[in-house]
Amino acid sequence: MALNVVIMAAGKGTRMRSARPKVLHTLAGQSLLQHVLQRAAALQPQRTLVITGHEAEQVERHVSATAPEVRCVRQQPQLGTGHAVLQASPALDASAGTTLILNGDVPLIEPATAQALATACGGERLALLTVTLDDPTGYGRIVRSADGTQVQAIVEHKDASEAQRAIREVYTGMMAAPTAALQRWVAALKNDNAQQEYYLTDIVAMAVAEGVPVVAASAADETEVLGVNSPAQLADLERRLQRRQAQALLEAGVRLADPARFDQRGTLACGQDVEIDVNCLFEGTVSLGDGVRVGANCVIRNATIAAGAVIHPFTHIDGDKDGVTVGEGALIGPFARLRPGAVLGREVHIGNFVEVKNSTLANGAKANHLAYLGDATVGERVNYGAGSITANYDGANKHRTVIGADVHVGSNCVLIAPVTLGEGGTIGGGSTISKDTPPGQLTVARARQVSLGGWTRPKKAPKP
Ligand code: UD1
Ligand code: MG
Protein backbone atom coordinates (compact mmCIF):
# COMPACT_ATOMS: atom_id res chain seq x y z
CA MET A 1 0.00 0.00 0.00
CA ALA A 2 1.39 3.38 -1.01
CA LEU A 3 1.88 5.44 2.11
CA ASN A 4 2.99 8.86 3.33
CA VAL A 5 4.22 9.09 6.91
CA VAL A 6 4.11 12.39 8.79
CA ILE A 7 5.96 12.58 12.10
CA MET A 8 5.05 15.51 14.34
CA ALA A 9 8.09 16.90 16.11
CA ALA A 10 7.65 20.68 16.27
CA GLY A 11 6.48 20.95 19.87
CA LYS A 12 8.59 22.45 22.61
CA GLY A 13 8.56 19.76 25.28
CA THR A 14 8.51 22.29 28.12
CA ARG A 15 8.18 19.67 30.84
CA MET A 16 11.53 18.08 29.95
CA ARG A 17 13.12 21.28 31.36
CA SER A 18 15.97 20.77 28.92
CA ALA A 19 17.81 22.88 26.35
CA ARG A 20 17.77 19.83 24.07
CA PRO A 21 14.68 19.39 21.87
CA LYS A 22 12.48 16.68 23.36
CA VAL A 23 12.57 14.33 20.38
CA LEU A 24 16.39 14.24 20.57
CA HIS A 25 16.43 12.82 24.09
CA THR A 26 17.56 9.21 24.03
CA LEU A 27 15.84 5.97 24.86
CA ALA A 28 18.01 2.85 24.90
CA GLY A 29 20.81 4.85 23.31
CA GLN A 30 18.96 6.38 20.38
CA SER A 31 16.85 9.45 20.03
CA LEU A 32 13.08 9.25 20.43
CA LEU A 33 12.82 10.50 16.85
CA GLN A 34 15.15 7.78 15.53
CA HIS A 35 12.96 5.14 17.16
CA VAL A 36 9.93 6.54 15.35
CA LEU A 37 11.83 6.92 12.04
CA GLN A 38 13.06 3.33 12.18
CA ARG A 39 9.63 1.99 12.96
CA ALA A 40 8.14 4.10 10.17
CA ALA A 41 10.80 2.86 7.72
CA ALA A 42 9.68 -0.72 8.40
CA LEU A 43 6.41 0.17 6.60
CA GLN A 44 8.36 1.16 3.46
CA PRO A 45 6.48 4.40 2.91
CA GLN A 46 6.65 6.35 -0.35
CA ARG A 47 7.57 9.46 1.58
CA THR A 48 8.31 10.37 5.18
CA LEU A 49 8.04 13.93 6.46
CA VAL A 50 9.12 15.26 9.84
CA ILE A 51 7.49 18.47 11.05
CA THR A 52 10.03 20.60 12.87
CA GLY A 53 9.60 23.87 14.73
CA HIS A 54 11.15 24.26 18.16
CA GLU A 55 14.98 24.11 17.72
CA ALA A 56 14.27 23.16 14.12
CA GLU A 57 17.88 23.34 12.86
CA GLN A 58 19.10 20.90 15.48
CA VAL A 59 16.30 18.43 14.78
CA GLU A 60 16.80 18.75 11.01
CA ARG A 61 20.55 18.09 11.32
CA HIS A 62 19.78 14.96 13.31
CA VAL A 63 17.28 13.77 10.69
CA SER A 64 19.65 14.33 7.79
CA ALA A 65 22.44 12.52 9.65
CA THR A 66 20.36 9.48 10.62
CA ALA A 67 17.72 9.24 7.87
CA PRO A 68 18.87 11.25 4.82
CA GLU A 69 15.91 10.13 2.69
CA VAL A 70 13.46 11.79 5.09
CA ARG A 71 12.32 15.36 4.43
CA CYS A 72 11.69 17.99 7.07
CA VAL A 73 8.94 20.58 6.92
CA ARG A 74 9.05 23.67 9.14
CA GLN A 75 6.11 24.77 11.20
CA GLN A 76 6.70 28.32 12.40
CA PRO A 77 5.01 29.32 14.70
CA GLN A 78 3.37 26.23 16.22
CA LEU A 79 -0.37 26.79 16.15
CA GLY A 80 -1.52 23.26 16.90
CA THR A 81 -1.46 19.75 15.50
CA GLY A 82 -3.82 20.58 12.61
CA HIS A 83 -1.65 23.55 11.65
CA ALA A 84 1.38 21.21 11.78
CA VAL A 85 -0.16 18.79 9.28
CA LEU A 86 -1.25 21.75 7.13
CA GLN A 87 2.45 22.69 6.70
CA ALA A 88 3.23 19.16 5.54
CA SER A 89 0.22 19.01 3.25
CA PRO A 90 1.88 20.39 0.06
CA ALA A 91 4.81 17.98 0.49
CA LEU A 92 2.65 14.84 0.67
CA ASP A 93 3.00 12.39 -2.20
CA ALA A 94 -0.43 12.54 -3.86
CA SER A 95 0.06 9.11 -5.42
CA ALA A 96 0.17 7.59 -1.93
CA GLY A 97 -3.49 7.24 -0.99
CA THR A 98 -2.95 6.83 2.75
CA THR A 99 -1.18 9.22 5.11
CA LEU A 100 -0.12 7.92 8.49
CA ILE A 101 0.47 10.42 11.29
CA LEU A 102 2.89 9.49 14.06
CA ASN A 103 4.36 11.42 16.96
CA GLY A 104 8.06 12.10 17.43
CA ASP A 105 7.67 11.64 21.17
CA VAL A 106 5.82 8.31 21.08
CA PRO A 107 8.80 6.07 20.35
CA LEU A 108 7.63 2.51 20.87
CA ILE A 109 4.78 2.22 18.40
CA GLU A 110 4.99 -1.29 16.90
CA PRO A 111 5.32 -1.38 13.12
CA ALA A 112 2.55 -4.02 13.06
CA THR A 113 0.18 -1.64 14.86
CA ALA A 114 1.09 1.26 12.56
CA GLN A 115 0.62 -1.03 9.56
CA ALA A 116 -2.77 -2.17 10.87
CA LEU A 117 -3.79 1.48 11.21
CA ALA A 118 -2.72 2.22 7.63
CA THR A 119 -4.54 -0.87 6.41
CA ALA A 120 -7.70 0.14 8.31
CA CYS A 121 -7.56 3.44 6.41
CA GLY A 122 -6.94 1.80 3.05
CA GLY A 123 -7.03 5.22 1.38
CA GLU A 124 -10.78 5.41 2.08
CA ARG A 125 -11.50 5.56 5.79
CA LEU A 126 -10.22 7.71 8.65
CA ALA A 127 -8.55 5.30 11.08
CA LEU A 128 -7.76 6.41 14.63
CA LEU A 129 -5.51 4.61 17.07
CA THR A 130 -7.21 4.66 20.44
CA VAL A 131 -6.53 3.24 23.87
CA THR A 132 -8.67 2.91 26.98
CA LEU A 133 -7.04 4.42 30.06
CA ASP A 134 -7.94 4.31 33.74
CA ASP A 135 -7.06 7.99 33.94
CA PRO A 136 -7.82 9.74 30.63
CA THR A 137 -7.04 13.26 31.95
CA GLY A 138 -5.52 15.52 29.32
CA TYR A 139 -6.31 13.34 26.33
CA GLY A 140 -8.74 13.83 23.49
CA ARG A 141 -11.86 11.70 24.14
CA ILE A 142 -13.40 9.40 21.52
CA VAL A 143 -17.07 10.35 21.27
CA ARG A 144 -19.22 7.56 19.87
CA SER A 145 -22.86 7.19 18.76
CA ALA A 146 -25.39 6.12 21.41
CA ASP A 147 -25.03 2.45 20.48
CA GLY A 148 -21.22 2.78 20.71
CA THR A 149 -20.52 1.55 17.18
CA GLN A 150 -19.79 4.80 15.31
CA VAL A 151 -17.03 7.27 16.16
CA GLN A 152 -18.48 10.75 15.85
CA ALA A 153 -15.76 13.11 17.05
CA ILE A 154 -12.69 13.63 19.18
CA VAL A 155 -13.18 16.23 21.89
CA GLU A 156 -10.08 17.66 23.53
CA HIS A 157 -9.95 17.46 27.32
CA LYS A 158 -10.04 21.25 27.70
CA ASP A 159 -13.13 21.50 25.50
CA ALA A 160 -14.95 18.47 26.90
CA SER A 161 -18.15 18.51 28.95
CA GLU A 162 -18.33 16.67 32.29
CA ALA A 163 -20.07 13.77 30.57
CA GLN A 164 -17.42 13.61 27.84
CA ARG A 165 -14.62 13.72 30.41
CA ALA A 166 -15.98 10.47 31.83
CA ILE A 167 -15.11 8.71 28.55
CA ARG A 168 -12.01 6.55 29.02
CA GLU A 169 -11.37 5.74 25.37
CA VAL A 170 -8.84 8.32 24.15
CA TYR A 171 -7.03 9.27 20.98
CA THR A 172 -3.34 8.27 21.07
CA GLY A 173 -2.23 11.00 18.65
CA MET A 174 -1.78 8.52 15.79
CA MET A 175 -4.10 8.20 12.83
CA ALA A 176 -4.20 7.23 9.16
CA ALA A 177 -6.25 9.30 6.69
CA PRO A 178 -7.01 9.30 2.96
CA THR A 179 -4.37 11.71 1.63
CA ALA A 180 -6.53 13.96 -0.57
CA ALA A 181 -9.28 14.26 2.05
CA LEU A 182 -6.71 15.02 4.76
CA GLN A 183 -5.33 17.88 2.66
CA ARG A 184 -8.82 19.27 2.21
CA TRP A 185 -9.74 18.87 5.89
CA VAL A 186 -6.64 20.49 7.42
CA ALA A 187 -7.10 23.48 5.10
CA ALA A 188 -10.60 23.99 6.53
CA LEU A 189 -9.74 23.76 10.26
CA LYS A 190 -10.70 26.61 12.61
CA ASN A 191 -9.17 27.51 15.97
CA ASP A 192 -12.35 28.47 17.80
CA ASN A 193 -11.68 26.30 20.85
CA ALA A 194 -10.40 26.51 24.42
CA GLN A 195 -6.72 26.66 23.37
CA GLN A 196 -7.20 28.69 20.16
CA GLU A 197 -5.24 26.03 18.35
CA TYR A 198 -5.87 24.28 15.06
CA TYR A 199 -6.74 20.80 16.28
CA LEU A 200 -6.01 17.95 13.91
CA THR A 201 -8.60 16.00 15.86
CA ASP A 202 -11.38 18.23 14.45
CA ILE A 203 -11.06 16.40 11.13
CA VAL A 204 -12.98 13.50 12.66
CA ALA A 205 -16.22 15.47 12.75
CA MET A 206 -15.51 16.66 9.18
CA ALA A 207 -15.12 13.07 8.00
CA VAL A 208 -18.36 12.10 9.73
CA ALA A 209 -20.17 15.03 8.09
CA GLU A 210 -18.93 13.94 4.66
CA GLY A 211 -19.95 10.34 5.25
CA VAL A 212 -16.33 9.11 5.24
CA PRO A 213 -16.23 6.07 7.55
CA VAL A 214 -14.27 6.60 10.77
CA VAL A 215 -12.80 3.48 12.33
CA ALA A 216 -10.94 3.01 15.59
CA ALA A 217 -8.09 0.54 15.94
CA SER A 218 -6.81 -0.18 19.40
CA ALA A 219 -3.24 -0.67 20.53
CA ALA A 220 -2.44 -4.10 21.91
CA ASP A 221 -0.15 -2.79 24.60
CA GLU A 222 -0.23 0.61 26.30
CA THR A 223 3.61 0.87 26.15
CA GLU A 224 3.29 1.34 22.39
CA VAL A 225 1.30 4.51 22.74
CA LEU A 226 2.98 6.12 25.73
CA GLY A 227 4.42 9.55 25.00
CA VAL A 228 7.39 11.21 26.64
CA ASN A 229 6.72 14.57 28.25
CA SER A 230 9.01 14.54 31.29
CA PRO A 231 12.25 12.95 32.51
CA ALA A 232 10.16 10.66 34.73
CA GLN A 233 8.16 9.39 31.75
CA LEU A 234 11.36 8.94 29.76
CA ALA A 235 12.90 6.86 32.55
CA ASP A 236 9.71 4.81 32.86
CA LEU A 237 9.71 4.06 29.14
CA GLU A 238 13.42 3.20 29.25
CA ARG A 239 12.75 0.59 31.96
CA ARG A 240 9.81 -0.85 30.03
CA LEU A 241 11.92 -1.15 26.89
CA GLN A 242 14.88 -2.65 28.78
CA ARG A 243 12.58 -5.09 30.50
CA ARG A 244 11.17 -6.12 27.13
CA GLN A 245 14.64 -6.59 25.61
CA ALA A 246 15.74 -8.59 28.65
CA GLN A 247 12.63 -10.76 28.35
CA ALA A 248 13.42 -11.52 24.70
CA LEU A 249 16.95 -12.60 25.64
CA LEU A 250 15.69 -14.79 28.49
CA GLU A 251 13.25 -16.43 26.11
CA ALA A 252 16.12 -17.08 23.70
CA GLY A 253 17.97 -18.91 26.49
CA VAL A 254 20.36 -16.19 27.67
CA ARG A 255 20.78 -16.41 31.44
CA LEU A 256 20.51 -12.90 32.79
CA ALA A 257 21.19 -12.86 36.51
CA ASP A 258 18.60 -10.11 36.92
CA PRO A 259 16.52 -8.75 34.03
CA ALA A 260 15.90 -5.58 36.07
CA ARG A 261 19.63 -4.84 36.13
CA PHE A 262 20.44 -5.14 32.45
CA ASP A 263 20.79 -2.46 29.79
CA GLN A 264 21.02 -2.84 26.05
CA ARG A 265 21.48 0.25 23.92
CA GLY A 266 21.76 -1.23 20.46
CA THR A 267 21.82 -4.80 19.21
CA LEU A 268 23.04 -7.77 21.21
CA ALA A 269 23.39 -11.15 19.52
CA CYS A 270 23.92 -14.10 21.84
CA GLY A 271 24.85 -17.73 21.18
CA GLN A 272 23.76 -20.65 23.33
CA ASP A 273 24.45 -20.75 27.07
CA VAL A 274 25.48 -17.14 27.46
CA GLU A 275 25.48 -15.90 31.05
CA ILE A 276 25.32 -12.22 31.97
CA ASP A 277 25.68 -11.11 35.57
CA VAL A 278 24.08 -7.98 37.04
CA ASN A 279 24.59 -4.35 35.98
CA CYS A 280 26.06 -4.93 32.55
CA LEU A 281 25.59 -2.39 29.76
CA PHE A 282 25.78 -3.36 26.09
CA GLU A 283 26.01 -0.58 23.51
CA GLY A 284 26.16 -0.40 19.73
CA THR A 285 26.60 -3.78 18.08
CA VAL A 286 27.75 -6.57 20.37
CA SER A 287 27.89 -10.27 19.72
CA LEU A 288 28.55 -12.93 22.36
CA GLY A 289 29.40 -16.44 21.18
CA ASP A 290 28.27 -19.73 22.71
CA GLY A 291 29.05 -20.10 26.39
CA VAL A 292 30.38 -16.58 26.89
CA ARG A 293 30.17 -15.42 30.48
CA VAL A 294 30.08 -11.73 31.36
CA GLY A 295 30.71 -10.82 34.99
CA ALA A 296 28.98 -8.09 36.94
CA ASN A 297 29.36 -4.40 36.07
CA CYS A 298 30.86 -4.72 32.60
CA VAL A 299 30.36 -2.11 29.86
CA ILE A 300 30.71 -3.55 26.35
CA ARG A 301 30.32 -1.51 23.17
CA ASN A 302 30.83 -2.50 19.52
CA ALA A 303 32.59 -5.80 20.17
CA THR A 304 32.60 -9.41 19.02
CA ILE A 305 33.33 -11.93 21.72
CA ALA A 306 33.92 -15.50 20.60
CA ALA A 307 32.67 -18.71 22.16
CA GLY A 308 33.79 -19.63 25.63
CA ALA A 309 35.41 -16.30 26.45
CA VAL A 310 35.01 -15.08 30.01
CA ILE A 311 34.75 -11.38 30.75
CA HIS A 312 35.37 -10.89 34.45
CA PRO A 313 33.65 -8.12 36.48
CA PHE A 314 34.26 -4.40 35.95
CA THR A 315 35.74 -4.78 32.49
CA HIS A 316 35.29 -1.95 30.00
CA ILE A 317 35.35 -2.91 26.34
CA ASP A 318 34.83 -0.05 23.89
CA GLY A 319 35.24 -0.86 20.20
CA ASP A 320 33.97 2.56 19.13
CA LYS A 321 34.40 2.75 15.30
CA ASP A 322 37.10 0.11 14.86
CA GLY A 323 35.57 -2.58 17.04
CA VAL A 324 37.10 -5.04 19.48
CA THR A 325 37.45 -8.77 18.85
CA VAL A 326 37.97 -11.26 21.65
CA GLY A 327 38.96 -14.80 20.63
CA GLU A 328 37.61 -18.15 21.75
CA GLY A 329 38.25 -19.05 25.35
CA ALA A 330 39.96 -15.76 26.16
CA LEU A 331 39.94 -14.54 29.77
CA ILE A 332 39.51 -10.80 30.22
CA GLY A 333 39.57 -8.78 33.43
CA PRO A 334 38.59 -8.12 36.13
CA PHE A 335 39.18 -4.37 35.63
CA ALA A 336 40.53 -4.70 32.09
CA ARG A 337 40.13 -2.06 29.39
CA LEU A 338 39.95 -3.01 25.72
CA ARG A 339 39.88 -0.06 23.33
CA PRO A 340 39.20 0.33 19.59
CA GLY A 341 41.20 -2.01 17.37
CA ALA A 342 42.03 -4.57 20.07
CA VAL A 343 42.03 -7.94 18.32
CA LEU A 344 42.66 -10.82 20.67
CA GLY A 345 43.20 -14.40 19.53
CA ARG A 346 42.21 -17.67 21.11
CA GLU A 347 42.88 -18.10 24.83
CA VAL A 348 44.48 -14.72 25.24
CA HIS A 349 44.55 -13.57 28.88
CA ILE A 350 44.16 -9.92 29.74
CA GLY A 351 44.24 -9.31 33.46
CA ASN A 352 43.50 -6.51 35.87
CA PHE A 353 44.42 -2.93 34.99
CA VAL A 354 45.64 -3.88 31.53
CA GLU A 355 44.77 -1.53 28.65
CA VAL A 356 44.91 -2.70 25.03
CA LYS A 357 44.41 -0.31 22.09
CA ASN A 358 44.82 -0.89 18.35
CA SER A 359 46.82 -4.05 18.97
CA THR A 360 46.70 -7.64 17.82
CA LEU A 361 47.47 -10.40 20.30
CA ALA A 362 47.95 -13.83 18.74
CA ASN A 363 46.65 -17.06 20.27
CA GLY A 364 47.68 -17.74 23.83
CA ALA A 365 49.37 -14.37 24.46
CA LYS A 366 49.06 -13.10 28.04
CA ALA A 367 49.25 -9.72 29.72
CA ASN A 368 48.05 -10.40 33.20
CA HIS A 369 48.68 -7.31 35.28
CA LEU A 370 49.01 -3.51 35.10
CA ALA A 371 50.17 -3.10 31.52
CA TYR A 372 49.65 -1.06 28.36
CA LEU A 373 49.73 -2.37 24.80
CA GLY A 374 49.10 0.30 22.15
CA ASP A 375 49.77 -0.07 18.41
CA ALA A 376 51.39 -3.45 19.00
CA THR A 377 51.51 -6.75 17.16
CA VAL A 378 51.99 -9.49 19.71
CA GLY A 379 52.91 -13.05 18.67
CA GLU A 380 51.59 -16.37 19.94
CA ARG A 381 52.21 -17.32 23.55
CA VAL A 382 53.96 -14.04 24.39
CA ASN A 383 54.05 -13.31 28.11
CA TYR A 384 53.91 -9.59 28.72
CA GLY A 385 55.01 -8.72 32.24
CA ALA A 386 53.36 -6.65 34.91
CA GLY A 387 53.85 -2.92 34.60
CA SER A 388 55.25 -3.06 31.05
CA ILE A 389 54.19 -0.51 28.49
CA THR A 390 54.60 0.31 24.84
CA ALA A 391 55.75 3.89 24.41
CA ASN A 392 53.88 4.20 21.14
CA TYR A 393 53.54 7.96 20.86
CA ASP A 394 56.44 10.38 20.39
CA GLY A 395 54.30 13.43 20.88
CA ALA A 396 53.49 13.74 17.18
CA ASN A 397 53.24 10.28 15.64
CA LYS A 398 52.22 6.81 16.72
CA HIS A 399 54.60 3.91 16.08
CA ARG A 400 54.24 0.13 16.19
CA THR A 401 55.78 -2.38 18.50
CA VAL A 402 56.20 -5.90 17.13
CA ILE A 403 56.72 -8.68 19.64
CA GLY A 404 57.65 -12.07 18.11
CA ALA A 405 56.10 -15.36 19.16
CA ASP A 406 57.15 -16.81 22.54
CA VAL A 407 58.86 -13.63 23.73
CA HIS A 408 58.82 -13.03 27.48
CA VAL A 409 58.77 -9.38 28.42
CA GLY A 410 59.74 -8.99 32.07
CA SER A 411 58.04 -6.68 34.52
CA ASN A 412 58.19 -2.92 34.25
CA CYS A 413 59.69 -2.69 30.76
CA VAL A 414 59.30 0.29 28.43
CA LEU A 415 59.24 -0.65 24.75
CA ILE A 416 59.99 2.51 22.77
CA ALA A 417 58.31 2.18 19.37
CA PRO A 418 59.06 1.61 16.58
CA VAL A 419 60.74 -1.51 17.85
CA THR A 420 60.73 -5.25 17.10
CA LEU A 421 61.48 -7.97 19.63
CA GLY A 422 62.78 -11.15 17.96
CA GLU A 423 60.97 -14.48 18.48
CA GLY A 424 61.62 -16.43 21.61
CA GLY A 425 63.68 -13.64 23.19
CA THR A 426 63.51 -12.58 26.81
CA ILE A 427 63.55 -8.99 28.01
CA GLY A 428 64.91 -8.49 31.49
CA GLY A 429 62.64 -6.77 33.99
CA GLY A 430 63.01 -3.02 34.19
CA SER A 431 64.52 -2.69 30.71
CA THR A 432 63.99 0.30 28.47
CA ILE A 433 64.13 -1.12 24.95
CA SER A 434 64.80 1.38 22.19
CA LYS A 435 66.49 -0.89 19.62
CA ASP A 436 65.32 -4.14 18.00
CA THR A 437 66.26 -7.25 19.97
CA PRO A 438 67.55 -10.54 18.50
CA PRO A 439 65.53 -13.77 18.63
CA GLY A 440 66.22 -16.31 21.32
CA GLN A 441 68.49 -14.15 23.50
CA LEU A 442 68.15 -12.39 26.83
CA THR A 443 68.23 -8.62 26.39
CA VAL A 444 68.71 -6.43 29.43
CA ALA A 445 68.76 -2.67 29.10
CA ARG A 446 69.13 -1.10 32.50
CA ALA A 447 71.94 0.14 34.69
CA ARG A 448 74.09 -2.70 36.02
CA GLN A 449 73.53 -3.32 39.73
CA VAL A 450 76.43 -2.41 42.00
CA SER A 451 76.90 -2.75 45.76
CA LEU A 452 79.27 -0.39 47.60
CA GLY A 453 80.84 -1.88 50.72
CA GLY A 454 82.40 1.22 52.36
CA TRP A 455 79.29 3.38 52.10
CA THR A 456 77.63 4.80 55.21
CA ARG A 457 74.20 6.36 55.52
CA PRO A 458 74.09 10.10 56.14
CA LYS A 459 73.24 10.89 59.75
CA LYS A 460 71.04 13.70 61.00
CA ALA A 461 72.90 16.38 62.96
CA PRO A 462 71.91 16.26 66.66
CA LYS A 463 69.40 18.97 67.64
CA PRO A 464 71.13 21.87 69.48
C1 UD1 B 1 -2.87 15.54 21.21
C2 UD1 B 1 -4.29 15.32 20.66
C3 UD1 B 1 -5.10 14.57 21.70
C4 UD1 B 1 -4.42 13.27 22.05
C5 UD1 B 1 -2.99 13.52 22.50
C6 UD1 B 1 -2.26 12.22 22.65
C7 UD1 B 1 -4.73 17.23 19.24
C8 UD1 B 1 -5.44 18.53 19.14
N1 UD1 B 1 -4.89 16.58 20.39
O1 UD1 B 1 -3.00 16.40 22.31
O2 UD1 B 1 -6.39 14.30 21.20
O3 UD1 B 1 -5.14 12.58 23.06
O4 UD1 B 1 -2.29 14.30 21.52
O5 UD1 B 1 -1.00 12.44 23.19
O6 UD1 B 1 -4.09 16.79 18.30
N2 UD1 B 1 2.93 19.44 17.64
C9 UD1 B 1 3.43 20.09 16.54
N3 UD1 B 1 3.02 21.35 16.27
C10 UD1 B 1 2.11 22.00 17.05
C11 UD1 B 1 1.58 21.32 18.15
C12 UD1 B 1 2.01 20.05 18.42
O7 UD1 B 1 4.27 19.53 15.82
O8 UD1 B 1 1.77 23.14 16.73
C13 UD1 B 1 3.38 18.07 17.90
C14 UD1 B 1 4.02 17.92 19.26
O9 UD1 B 1 5.43 18.09 19.17
C15 UD1 B 1 3.67 16.49 19.62
C16 UD1 B 1 2.33 16.26 18.92
O10 UD1 B 1 2.25 17.24 17.93
O11 UD1 B 1 4.61 15.58 19.07
C17 UD1 B 1 1.14 16.37 19.88
O12 UD1 B 1 1.09 17.67 20.41
P1 UD1 B 1 0.67 17.94 21.89
O13 UD1 B 1 0.75 19.39 22.17
O14 UD1 B 1 1.37 17.03 22.82
O15 UD1 B 1 -0.87 17.55 21.84
P2 UD1 B 1 -1.79 17.17 23.03
O16 UD1 B 1 -2.34 18.39 23.62
O17 UD1 B 1 -1.10 16.22 23.93
MG1 MG C 1 0.96 15.59 24.19
Side-chain angles (χ1 to χ4, degrees):
M1 184 204 319
L3 190 67
N4 289 296
V5 175
V6 175
I7 300 172
M8 311 236 270
K12 188 150 183 264
T14 312
R15 279 184 284 158
M16 289 302 290
R17 299 179 186 277
S18 167
R20 200 194 304 177
K22 177 164 78 177
V23 293
L24 300 192
H25 281 269
T26 59
L27 183 72
Q30 38 171 15
S31 71
L32 298 176
L33 187 53
Q34 256 179 291
H35 281 277
V36 181
L37 285 167
Q38 272 176 10
R39 286 150 191 267
L43 308 185
Q44 299 179 300
Q46 239 65 13
R47 188 167 294 173
T48 301
L49 303 168
V50 175
I51 302 170
T52 62
H54 179 71
E55 296 288 357
E57 288 85 6
Q58 214 180 321
V59 177
E60 287 162 9
R61 272 199 305 278
H62 179 74
V63 170
S64 60
T66 54
E69 72 288 356
V70 169
R71 287 203 220 170
C72 292
V73 176
R74 287 259 178 116
Q75 182 201 14
Q76 216 76 272
Q78 290 96 52
L79 303 179
T81 51
H83 178 255
V85 175
L86 180 63
Q87 312 311 303
S89 179
L92 292 172
D93 184 339
S95 73
T98 298
T99 295
L100 175 68
I101 295 173
L102 301 177
N103 270 289
D105 61 357
V106 182
L108 298 183
I109 179 69
E110 286 295 334
T113 304
Q115 183 61 64
L117 195 60
T119 305
C121 165
E124 293 172 356
R125 293 165 293 273
L126 179 58
L128 309 173
L129 188 64
T130 71
V131 67
T132 299
L133 299 177
D134 289 338
D135 177 11
T137 308
Y139 287 90
R141 306 299 205 281
I142 304 294
V143 178
R144 289 175 176 268
S145 58
D147 64 358
T149 56
Q150 304 295 316
V151 174
Q152 292 178 319
I154 298 176
V155 178
E156 291 305 308
H157 181 89
K158 287 188 179 147
D159 299 285
S161 65
E162 275 311 304
Q164 287 167 334
R165 285 187 182 181
I167 299 171
R168 287 171 46 231
E169 187 186 6
V170 303
Y171 172 54
T172 59
M174 292 173 269
M175 64 164 73
T179 303
L182 178 69
Q183 289 171 311
R184 208 157 24 77
W185 293 332
V186 291
L189 287 171
K190 303 252 173 357
N191 66 347
D192 50 354
N193 52 52
Q195 306 186 79
Q196 299 198 323
E197 280 184 12
Y198 295 90
Y199 291 162
L200 179 61
T201 45
D202 284 350
I203 71 170
V204 175
M206 293 178 177
V208 170
E210 284 184 23
V212 173
V214 180
V215 293
S218 60
D221 172 2
E222 70 158 16
T223 303
E224 287 191 64
V225 299
L226 287 178
V228 173
N229 296 297
S230 64
Q233 287 175 341
L234 182 60
D236 173 53
L237 222 51
E238 176 80 32
R239 260 308 99 206
R240 288 173 187 247
L241 177 54
Q242 292 301 347
R243 194 59 200 231
R244 202 188 266 188
Q245 294 182 147
Q247 198 59 38
L249 289 170
L250 289 167
E251 278 161 22
V254 176
R255 293 194 289 280
L256 297 178
D258 183 356
R261 284 180 290 168
F262 165 81
D263 287 271
Q264 177 188 333
R265 300 180 189 155
T267 56
L268 175 61
C270 291
Q272 205 172 27
D273 285 309
V274 166
E275 293 182 16
I276 299 173
D277 211 334
V278 299
N279 289 333
C280 290
L281 168 57
F282 298 88
E283 296 184 271
T285 305
V286 174
S287 118
L288 306 178
D290 291 347
V292 166
R293 285 189 285 140
V294 181
N297 302 299
C298 290
V299 177
I300 303 182
R301 174 169 173 252
N302 293 343
T304 301
I305 303 194
V310 179
I311 313 297
H312 289 294
F314 295 98
T315 290
H316 186 202
I317 298 178
D318 183 1
D320 196 20
K321 293 188 178 62
D322 296 336
V324 164
T325 305
V326 174
E328 274 180 39
L331 304 180
I332 313 296
F335 299 100
R337 180 171 185 211
L338 303 182
R339 292 175 51 204
V343 178
L344 314 185
R346 254 185 292 117
E347 283 163 32
V348 163
H349 293 186
I350 299 294
N352 42 207
F353 308 107
V354 174
E355 174 183 352
V356 181
K357 186 220 74 175
N358 191 31
S359 293
T360 304
L361 277 74
N363 299 341
K366 295 184 172 67
N368 273 324
H369 331 264
L370 301 164
Y372 175 58
L373 280 160
D375 303 308
T377 303
V378 179
E380 295 191 359
R381 298 172 301 277
V382 163
N383 195 321
Y384 193 76
S388 289
I389 64 160
T390 53
N392 56 321
Y393 184 52
D394 61 14
N397 302 298
K398 301 228 166 103
H399 301 283
R400 284 204 83 75
T401 300
V402 179
I403 306 178
D406 298 301
V407 165
H408 279 214
V409 176
S411 296
N412 223 32
C413 292
V414 181
L415 309 179
I416 301 178
V419 71
T420 298
L421 311 186
E423 279 188 19
T426 300
I427 310 300
S431 293
T432 297
I433 302 294
S434 54
K435 293 200 292 275
D436 292 356
T437 63
Q441 294 183 22
L442 169 67
T443 300
V444 184
R446 60 178 189 235
R448 199 172 271 279
Q449 181 168 322
V450 291
S451 300
L452 304 178
W455 182 82
T456 54
R457 268 190 214 163
K459 290 197 172 60
K460 282 184 183 163
K463 285 200 174 101

